Amino acid sequence: MLLCRLADIPLRLENRYPHTELLYAPFAGDAPDAIPLQVSEEEILAEEAAGGLPSDKTARLGYLEALALYRKISHLLVQKGGFLFHAAFFTLAGAGIAYAAPSGTGKSTQAELMRAAYPEIFRYINGDKPLVRRRGESFYGYGTPFCGKERHGSVGSAPVRAVCFLERSDRDCLLPLRAEEAFPLLFSSVQAPLDPGELSALLPLLSSFLETLPVYRFLCTKRPEAAQCAYDTFVKDGIVP
Amino acid sequence: MKIKNGFQLHRIGKETYAVAAAPELAKLGSMIRLNETAEFLFRLLSEDTTEEALTAALLREYDITEEAAAADVAAFCARLREGGFLAG
């Protein structure tokens, strides 16, 4: 059993495998009024399709259990004003930037280009699947145990200040997107809801997210100039100081 | 014919989307964008109906010719049928 907090939600994880605790340990701490969570063997084995599994059987089952718990947490989060976002999330001088795109488009590449170009002000929060949650008028992105195979992440959070939907291109530019244009892109980048009730809670949340924040279509090459282009836009638009 | 159960309509800005709530519908494509006319027809398709009835409803609601109404209905129903969104 492990008490922890993810996206400011206190959780009591009723795990079967010790490896699960290893993964969630960085997020352990006091969790008054913790919500109990556990997953069945069936739910654990349903995560078998995930890549990057440990070879040791017990560690592998622990990893799958940790994944199944994360999936359950992401569904619970919707009822608490949040969602799982398939994006690379980092900060530039404290301003949270989310790079979203289908797998293989170049989220990690672009995040690494930005890190290489501005190492003094760059910090990863979660390189692959942050949790995002509304806090007051703002949305915050959170570090979690699942941050991609490069393990780019931290225990912490930052306010989301801009969202970019990436597309490979032969040129680098950021084009503003209206919320209604970005909506299908965002919907395909979040954890799919399980049932109509969850969908009813998720849709207005996604609208609020897009209507609150600057959203861009980021046409990008793999050249270092892509990072410069994005950074210049963020500074010009007052997103990054 | 009617729309399969499990869609929710969601308006954001000037657009309306029909979003699949049921996982089996999500396999077809999680959402479709509806303009004003399409949204009008989509709502009518929540009940069992025909292309003729939809055309008549469109004529009552909008100032368009019968030919244009019938063409709009046929095109929209074809789009829905192709996407697997219609039952019956």
Side-chain angles (χ1 to χ4, degrees), chain A residues 180 184 187 196 199-200 203 207, chain B residues 8 10 12 14-15 17 21 31:
Chain A
E180 54 262 47
F187 191 81
L199 181 64
S200 293
L203 292 176
S207 283
Chain B
Q8 292 184 19
H10 182 70
I12 174 169
K14 295 177 186 173
E15 304 283 359
Y17 290 92
M31 67 174 67

Side-chain angles (χ1 to χ4, degrees), chain A residues 37-235:
Chain A
L37 271 183
Q38 64 183 44
V39 289
S40 63
E41 282 297 319
E42 204 174 50
E43 287 170 315
I44 292 170
L45 294 175
E47 300 292 338
E48 194 93 49
L53 302 179
S55 51
D56 171 75
K57 184 187 172 182
T58 304
R60 188 165 128 261
L61 288 170
Y63 185 85
L64 293 177
E65 180 183 48
L67 257 183
L69 282 166
Y70 193 54
R71 190 180 298 278
K72 197 162 264 198
I73 291 164
S74 73
H75 289 299
L76 168 73
L77 184 62
V78 174
Q79 301 299 340
K80 295 189 176 298
F83 53 91
L84 185 151
F85 192 13
H86 189 191
F89 184 60
F90 56 87
T91 59
L92 290 171
I97 309 291
Y99 279 179
S103 294
T105 304
K107 297 186 292 296
S108 301
T109 300
Q110 292 302 321
E112 280 295 286
L113 285 175
M114 189 64 86
R115 179 164 81 151
Y118 304 98
E120 300 86 8
I121 61 168
F122 180 99
R123 180 175 158 241
Y124 273 112
I125 301 293
N126 188 311
D128 186 46
K129 290 186 178 68
L131 298 180
V132 172
R133 190 177 177 203
R134 181 157 47 196
R135 257 157 65 176
E137 298 298 314
S138 301
F139 283 87
Y140 279 69
Y142 291 82
T144 74
F146 294 95
C147 49
K149 59 181 186 291
E150 296 89 0
R151 310 288 304 151
H152 288 148
S154 60
V155 178
S157 64
V160 185
R161 293 288 183 236
V163 181
C164 299
F165 291 97
L166 275 55
E167 292 175 39
R168 286 194 196 172
S169 176
D170 57 5
R171 58 183 177 127
D172 298 305
C173 68
L174 272 71
L175 305 168
L177 269 179
R178 287 180 289 121
E180 54 262 47
E181 294 173 312
F183 182 73
L185 299 172
L186 179 62
F187 191 81
S188 64
S189 299
V190 306
Q191 173 77 53
L194 276 178
D195 52 53
E198 187 179 329
L199 181 64
S200 293
L202 180 63
L203 292 176
L205 190 58
L206 299 185
S207 283
S208 177
F209 184 69
L210 293 173
E211 287 162 351
T212 306
L213 293 163
V215 183
Y216 301 93
R217 186 175 163 220
F218 184 10
L219 302 175
C220 50
T221 65
K222 289 185 180 180
R223 299 189 297 260
E225 289 79 7
Q228 178 80 58
C229 172
Y231 179 81
D232 288 348
T233 300
F234 298 147
V235 171

Side-chain angles (χ1 to χ4, degrees), chain A residues 4 13 15 17 28 41 48 52 54 88 102 145 161 179 201 208 236 238:
Chain A
C4 63
L13 304 182
N15 57 297
Y17 301 101
E41 282 297 319
E48 194 93 49
R161 293 288 183 236
S208 177
K236 175 176 71 70

